[in-house]
Amino acid sequence: MLLTGGSSGIGRAIVQAFVGQGAHVSFLDIDAQGAQQTIALCEQTGGQTPVFYPCDLTQIPALQAAMAAAVAKHGAVQVLVNNAAHDDRHAWGSVTADYWDSRIAVNLRHVFFAMQEVIPAMQQARQGVIVNMGSVTPVLGLGGMPVYSASKAAIVGLTRSAAKEFGKDGIRINAVVPGAVATERQKALWRDPQTVAQIAAGQCLQGDIKPEDVAYMVLFLASEAAAMCTAQTYAVDAGWM
Ligand SMILES: NC(=O)c1ccc[n+]([C@@H]2O[C@H](COP(=O)([O-])OP(=O)(O)OC[C@H]3O[C@@H](n4cnc5c(N)ncnc54)[C@H](O)[C@@H]3O)[C@@H](O)[C@H]2O)c1
């Protein structure tokens, strides 16, 4: 399995979940310190140590080189999880053309190029799984992050069009849409009492969504249990949408 953004939050939980199932995991991230914590957590629980490839995903040649290095070392990617993103808030009036491009680069562009990188070998193998991380943001119409929201909506379109195009090759491609997940970053930056109350009022189920709740959905979609699941969007949002 190869994942982007494994140095914290949901990505870290996905790395741990796959390692826990005995999978070999490679992950790409810009945060080397967080990557070491992910590796240490996996080593505590046993399984194969995941392999970290430092990479700024906004630099497409760097992404391609890191993925090629992972393939050269560990073989073709059977499961790709495009998880990395950056959910910085931004007001409409403050968005410049350069800022727009930077948000698309960190939230959307690498998803396409990572898929482009793995699909030929999956076609050859006549199997493969891709999971792309979306968000409830565009469906709920949450404000304060229009370019992030546009990127996450585009990921669903990219997922569905690729699933239709490559389903004949045995490749399953789905999106997972997390709700408000109580990661360390979310707790530190955005989960003030007012926001937590809004989330609680919106969710059918009460309580925090944990990173591992999302990881288990990704694990399911990567497994044979999901053999006939493709081109869909699976929410882990406690019923918020
Ligand atoms: N946490 C939530 O409530 C929530 C809700 C909806 C969707 N999501 C989505 O779930 C995914 C994971 O979110 P999270 O909350 O765990 O986020 P996070 O910020 O904790 O983790 C994102 C990871 O991506 C990495 N990353 C960011 N920019 C990068 C770059 N340029 N190059 C390489 N790596 C980079 C970060 O270092 C980090 O390890 C994202 O796609 C996010 O949009 C999260």
Side-chain angles (χ1 to χ4, degrees):
M1 191 273 266
L2 187 144
L3 169 136
T4 62
S7 294
S8 68
I10 295 168
R12 172 179 289 163
I14 297 170
V15 172
Q16 289 180 278
F18 275 76
V19 166
Q21 293 290 313
H24 176 272
V25 178
S26 302
F27 68 100
L28 278 51
D29 206 295
I30 200 168
D31 175 5
Q33 208 180 344
Q36 293 315 316
Q37 289 169 19
T38 299
I39 290 167
L41 285 166
C42 290
E43 283 174 343
Q44 279 167 24
T45 50
Q48 294 186 66
T49 301
V51 181
F52 168 56
Y53 292 86
C55 174
D56 179 354
L57 297 163
T58 65
Q59 306 302 312
I60 299 305
L63 164 69
Q64 290 163 333
M67 290 184 73
V71 169
K73 192 149 187 220
H74 316 291
V77 176
Q78 294 168 320
V79 177
L80 169 68
V81 181
N82 281 308
N83 163 77
H86 204 254
D87 66 347
D88 270 2
R89 286 8 181 199
H90 43 275
W92 276 77
S94 71
V95 175
T96 60
D98 283 348
Y99 186 75
W100 171 276
D101 288 347
S102 77
R103 294 305 88 190
I104 296 293
V106 80
N107 290 314
L108 174 63
R109 190 172 61 171
H110 59 86
V111 176
F112 173 85
F113 285 99
M115 292 169 73
Q116 187 189 56
E117 203 64 18
V118 299
I119 283 171
M122 289 182 175
Q123 284 177 302
Q124 215 171 1
R126 302 213 54 77
Q127 62 179 0
V129 174
I130 299 174
V131 178
N132 296 327
M133 209 57 74
S135 172
V136 293
T137 306
V139 178
L140 291 174
L142 300 179
M145 41 187 160
V147 195
Y148 173 83
S149 188
S151 303
K152 290 301 184 181
I155 282 175
V156 172
L158 184 60
T159 299
R160 284 182 58 76
S161 62
K164 300 276 177 191
E165 188 159 346
F166 301 114
K168 65 180 182 327
D169 301 312
I171 307 173
R172 297 190 291 104
I173 308 176
N174 290 292
V176 168
V177 167
V181 183
T183 60
E184 292 310 314
R185 177 175 159 84
Q186 298 296 316
K187 285 192 270 189
L189 292 179
W190 323 122
R191 286 176 74 97
D192 56 64
Q194 196 191 345
T195 307
V196 170
Q198 275 170 0
I199 293 165
Q203 289 184 182
C204 300
L205 302 171
Q206 295 306 301
D208 288 346
I209 305 171
K210 299 181 294 304
E212 50 267 38
D213 295 323
V214 182
Y216 295 143
M217 175 62 83
V218 176
L219 208 51
F220 164 71
L221 288 171
S223 76
E224 279 300 306
M228 296 308 282
C229 299
T230 198
Q232 301 305 317
T233 300
Y234 294 89
V236 184
D237 70 341
W240 194 7
M241 286 193 295

